[in-house]
Amino acid sequence: MESLQLKELLEMIDTQVSSPILGGMEAEYEELEAMGYVHINRDEIQHTGTLTPAGLTHLEELRHQH
C-alpha cells in the first residue's frame, strides 16, 4: 500500500473512531490489521475497524512527513 493511500485510510479511520468496512475495502483493512495499525471488530454484522496505538503513532509520523 502506498504511503499516501495508507495515510488517507488511517486518517479516515481515525476521524470516524470506528470505521465501517465498506464493500470492496476488506483487503485494505486486513492489510492494515496485518501491519498492526487497525483492529477489525468482527463481532457485529457490519465489521468495523479502529486504530491501534501503533496505527495512531504511524499516522502521526505520516502527518509529519508531508
Side-chain angles (χ1 to χ4, degrees), residues 20-26 46:
I21 300 173
L22 304 176
M25 295 291 291
E26 295 91 353
Q46 174 65 55

Side-chain angles (χ1 to χ4, degrees), residues 4-65:
L4 181 58
Q5 181 185 14
L6 176 63
K7 180 183 175 206
E8 288 173 352
L9 191 51
L10 289 175
E11 284 182 331
M12 179 187 70
I13 296 167
D14 185 42
T15 301
Q16 295 180 2
V17 180
S18 181
S19 175
I21 300 173
L22 304 176
M25 295 291 291
E26 295 91 353
E28 286 85 349
Y29 277 77
E30 289 173 355
E31 183 177 348
L32 292 175
E33 185 177 47
M35 297 163 84
Y37 297 152
V38 169
H39 169 74
I40 298 175
N41 178 2
R42 295 178 173 87
D43 295 335
E44 303 294 327
I45 293 171
Q46 174 65 55
H47 295 173
T48 58
T50 55
L51 289 181
T52 64
L56 288 168
T57 299
H58 190 67
L59 178 56
E60 285 304 313
E61 291 169 359
L62 290 171
R63 286 176 174 157
H64 293 299
Q65 289 177 2

